[in-house]
Amino acid sequence: MACKTDPLYDKEAQLPSDLAKITHYLDSTKQTADFKKDPRGFYYQVINIGPDTGKTALPDDSIRVHYIGRTFPEGTLFDSTATSIDDTVATKLKLADAIEGWQKGIPLIKVGGRIRLLIPAALGYQNRRISTILLPNTNLDFDIRLIPLHTKKVPTTP
């Protein structure tokens, strides 16, 4: 007997359902004015854009973040680096390797900024079961602070 495979994931078909759930929640809790809808398919709230001198993250950049990840709208915590106040233990990753919602949302702030992203499953973990909390087609709520990268200075020879 052959193994049964999951059907191909249709992001375009899933996205309207995800967005309808997010919109319904924001409307019913009267939070619609607090969030902007990005035309690429997610909602965001810039809490602090970051300093004028801050750099905007690009896809090939390595970034450092502190974040809190919750399911949306249930609010169940599934991951967090926020328990640490030490920026040296922040999560470091290449932006291009992050979920699509982060790739599109994090560049809306500068290094030193903070953003809240409501990410539909279609731009998150899609139909993958990540854990007992992150089931297929789970919408996500991230509070993200973009932290400066500490780069080692290469000594110059006199």
Side-chain angles (χ1 to χ4, degrees):
M1 188 161 127
C3 294
K4 184 178 178 184
T5 59
D6 290 333
L8 290 177
Y9 185 73
D10 188 346
K11 180 170 74 170
E12 299 305 318
Q14 181 65 39
L15 188 57
S17 172
D18 295 340
L19 289 174
K21 291 174 188 173
I22 294 171
T23 302
H24 178 266
Y25 180 84
L26 292 176
D27 289 345
S28 67
T29 58
K30 301 188 181 351
Q31 294 183 63
T32 306
D34 297 337
F35 288 87
K36 292 182 182 176
K37 183 178 180 187
D38 188 279
R40 296 169 292 176
F42 62 94
Y43 283 83
Y44 68 96
Q45 177 186 38
V46 173
I47 298 164
N48 175 1
I49 197 161
D52 288 340
T53 56
K55 180 183 181 307
T56 301
L58 301 173
D60 288 331
D61 288 346
S62 288
I63 61 170
R64 291 180 52 235
V65 294
H66 273 304
Y67 67 92
I68 299 171
R70 298 181 186 276
T71 60
F72 187 84
E74 300 83 8
T76 305
L77 179 71
F78 64 85
D79 199 7
S80 176
T81 61
T83 56
S84 174
I85 57 170
D86 183 358
D87 285 350
T88 62
V89 294
T91 298
K92 181 180 175 183
L93 68 145
K94 187 173 178 180
L95 184 57
D97 293 336
I99 60 172
E100 189 175 352
W102 277 33
Q103 292 176 34
K104 294 177 178 191
I106 289 177
L108 296 173
I109 59 172
K110 297 177 181 183
V111 172
R114 183 175 163 206
I115 192 167
R116 185 169 173 203
L117 299 174
L118 303 181
I119 301 174
L123 302 180
Y125 299 111
Q126 301 178 350
N127 65 343
R128 295 184 299 268
R129 180 187 177 113
I130 304 300
S131 69
T132 58
I133 296 171
L134 288 175
L135 303 174
N137 297 317
T138 299
N139 294 322
L140 308 169
D141 179 354
F142 283 101
D143 185 329
I144 302 168
R145 187 165 55 101
L146 189 55
I147 298 170
L149 270 175
H150 295 294
T151 55
K152 294 181 180 177
K153 294 187 179 188
V154 178
T156 57
T157 45

